[in-house]
Amino acid sequence: MPDRPRILSISFSEFVSDARVLRQLGVLADYGDVTTIGYGPKPPDASEHLQLVGEPASLPQTPAGVLMLALHLHRKAELAAPANVAALALLADKRFDLVVANEARALPLAHAVAHGAPVWGDMHEWAPEERTQILSWRLLVAPLMRSICARYLPRTEAVSTVNGSIAAMYQEQFGCEVRVVRNAIALQDLAPSPVTGDRVRLVHSGSAVPGRSIERLIEATRQLDERFTLDLFLVAARDGGRYLDELRGIAGEDDRIVFHEAVAPGDLPRTLNAYDIGVFVLPPHTANHRFMLPNKFFDFVQARLGVVFSPAIETSALIERYDLGRVSPDFTASSLAETLQSLTADDVRRYKRNADNAAAALSSEQDEQTQRDVIGTLLKRTVT
């Protein structure tokens, strides 16, 4: 029996907590033996996992690395991050038929270890503005990300990102063809849960990361009448749980606001199905915020929930197209509260029913086919 193709997946994230990368791995494993390199334990679907022990930084945050960034010595900085140094050592003697780089910061490493094999760069979102709301990131890291994109994307055999708006920016600014692979999840065998006239069960899931504006969800709920409850399924950030503790403090003793342990991505839709409305507010500090189309949007749809989101080009268009819920006029807690307060039980039932009708169209089926097209095409170049 011939050997299966050898595929490398690079992600400077904890694989087992990264829903997008886990879905990608599930498809890659159909085509070959997948070696993963990144943080945390071995993920499902990996044949081999090379763990970056201690989670070394994926950006050049050493004194020498920061100096390189300050002097705009970007080519020297590309592989200077501690994570890249560790990864190069682990991969020194390995060869692959396909290399997958998750996010722009992984592109230099992917090309360094490809040895002529094709590289697929899944950019996820818009790399040049990942965290430009932070001054140090804007001054030091954003130019590096832009340099990496300009240098490597034209040389990368396949490029993908989360939606059409961001794909257009990559194409316009870096001259590469870009495929769209949304953050959609598989179609779930669920039905809308019953709605009661005297209760609206709000829910939010995701990472408790500063800047995600989860405090506004809590503040809005505290402005609402007794019909409304808010349940939060949050993954603690790498800040020792400080932001999560702050959120608990903002919620105070309000028993309508409940914090839960995080739920595994695969279990999330069924858990969320017990609720009515998925809520999210994110001020547009960066292009990624303006063009957001996050995991949680698709999680809410597959859970057969209505949604109330703050304005964003991609999510607002889908909410309107499928009549899935409402878009608040702005990004404030008071605006969200006013939008939620206007909901009737019939509105909630309609939005949940419409989510059920849209679940197939907003599932991962078309995204998975795009991934299969990419993988199949690239492997034909190296596997005969």
Side-chain angles (χ1 to χ4, degrees), residues 191-204 226-231 233 269-279 299-309 323-326 340 343-356:
S193 57
V195 175
T196 59
D198 62 349
R199 184 68 65 187
V200 180
R201 300 161 297 182
L202 309 176
V203 69
H204 175 87
E226 293 300 314
R227 285 191 304 151
F228 293 87
T229 61
L230 173 64
D231 287 67
F233 293 85
R270 190 164 297 277
T271 300
L272 298 177
N273 181 249
Y275 299 93
D276 296 318
I277 299 289
V279 289
D299 292 338
F300 293 156
V301 170
Q302 292 303 326
R304 306 319 198 260
L305 307 183
V307 296
V308 175
F309 274 42
D323 190 23
L324 297 172
R326 304 219 180 138
L340 289 165
L343 293 175
T344 66
D346 285 342
D347 291 331
V348 175
R349 290 188 188 95
R350 183 174 88 253
Y351 296 145
K352 295 178 75 168
R353 184 171 62 249
N354 290 345
D356 192 32

Side-chain angles (χ1 to χ4, degrees), residues 14 38 54 71 98 124 128 134 168 194 200 213 242 315 336 352:
E14 187 169 289
L71 296 176
L98 171 63
H124 296 209
I134 299 172
V200 180
S213 298
R242 288 191 299 274
T315 50
L336 177 63
K352 295 178 75 168

